[in-house]
Amino acid sequence: MRDSKNNTQPVFSSQKARRSLFDEYCNYVYAVVMNKLRICGTREDIDECVSDIFIEIYRNIENSGYPSGDLKNFIGMVAKRRAIDAYRKISLRSERNISMDDESFSEPAADVNIIENAEKKERNTILLNKVKELGEPDSTIIIQQFFYNRTAAEIAKTVSMTAAAVQKRSIRARNKLKGMLTEVGITI
């Protein structure tokens, strides 16, 4: 839909267009927000942040038109900035000191093993760093395949390869990753 006055800038007022944009990028925005807020935010905080991001995106498009360049990059930038702002706000809010005698203070459940959780978190950080060291497109293929449970055909569309090529790259990347992890003392 084009603006009749200016005939160069798309008009972003249709509810259907907003819905399509939301449907297309909701999972992406949610993943960005979840990555930033999973440590300190509640489910409600994450949902609120995602909603705020889409409101900002809609306002930006209505006021300035579609961004020049890649729409996904624009959405990613807005999502990251908003998520970081939300992280700061939530962190400040939760920095208040709580006495152990306070009724709102909760101890870890008896079945929670803090040391095991810390080791698992450290292992996951090392794993993710090693996946990133694989370089492109291997790191994207591994992340899409194992973190987002995408099929080779789905991944092939995003990395502009055939499904067979994605499968071969995945096998090679996993073998290389296994060697990299063995070097740092992690076995899979």
Side-chain angles (χ1 to χ4, degrees), residues 60-156:
N60 251 330
I61 292 173
E62 286 173 356
N63 294 335
S64 306
Y66 283 97
S68 60
D70 187 15
L71 181 62
K72 185 175 183 178
N73 287 339
F74 169 73
I75 291 172
M77 179 193 64
V78 171
K80 287 175 190 170
R81 288 181 180 172
R82 270 293 183 157
I84 290 169
D85 289 345
Y87 175 83
R88 290 178 182 149
K89 185 172 116 180
I90 293 166
S91 294
L92 285 174
R93 182 177 68 203
S94 64
E95 278 185 4
R96 63 183 174 95
N97 292 330
I98 300 175
S99 167
M100 289 181 69
D101 298 330
D102 191 352
E103 289 180 20
S104 64
F105 180 78
S106 61
E107 295 181 36
D111 61 343
V112 173
N113 186 335
I114 295 173
I115 295 170
E116 184 179 309
N117 287 347
E119 289 172 354
K120 187 175 182 181
K121 184 176 180 182
E122 179 66 24
R123 188 174 50 243
N124 288 344
T125 301
I126 292 169
L127 175 63
L128 188 56
N129 288 334
K130 293 298 179 187
V131 168
K132 288 178 182 177
E133 285 180 27
L134 291 171
E136 289 299 328
D138 294 344
S139 60
T140 298
I141 291 170
I142 295 297
I143 288 171
Q144 293 290 321
Q145 192 173 23
F146 293 100
F147 290 90
Y148 295 106
N149 295 322
R150 300 243 163 85
T151 65
E154 292 171 328
I155 298 168

Side-chain angles (χ1 to χ4, degrees), residues 33-46 83-95 121:
V33 172
M34 185 66 154
N35 187 39
K36 299 286 184 207
L37 300 184
R38 69 174 171 235
I39 296 169
C40 65
T42 64
R43 175 78 177 197
E44 291 79 22
D45 292 329
I46 293 167
I84 290 169
D85 289 345
Y87 175 83
R88 290 178 182 149
K89 185 172 116 180
I90 293 166
S91 294
L92 285 174
R93 182 177 68 203
S94 64
E95 278 185 4
K121 184 176 180 182

Side-chain angles (χ1 to χ4, degrees), residues 10-57:
V11 175
F12 190 79
S13 61
S14 167
Q15 187 68 22
K16 189 175 181 180
R18 287 184 181 137
R19 187 68 202 180
S20 293
L21 184 77
F22 179 82
D23 290 343
E24 178 74 22
Y25 292 103
C26 181
N27 290 338
Y28 173 63
V29 169
Y30 193 86
V32 170
V33 172
M34 185 66 154
N35 187 39
K36 299 286 184 207
L37 300 184
R38 69 174 171 235
I39 296 169
C40 65
T42 64
R43 175 78 177 197
E44 291 79 22
D45 292 329
I46 293 167
D47 290 343
E48 181 180 337
C49 186
V50 169
S51 297
D52 290 345
I53 289 166
F54 277 101
I55 289 170
E56 183 174 335
I57 291 167

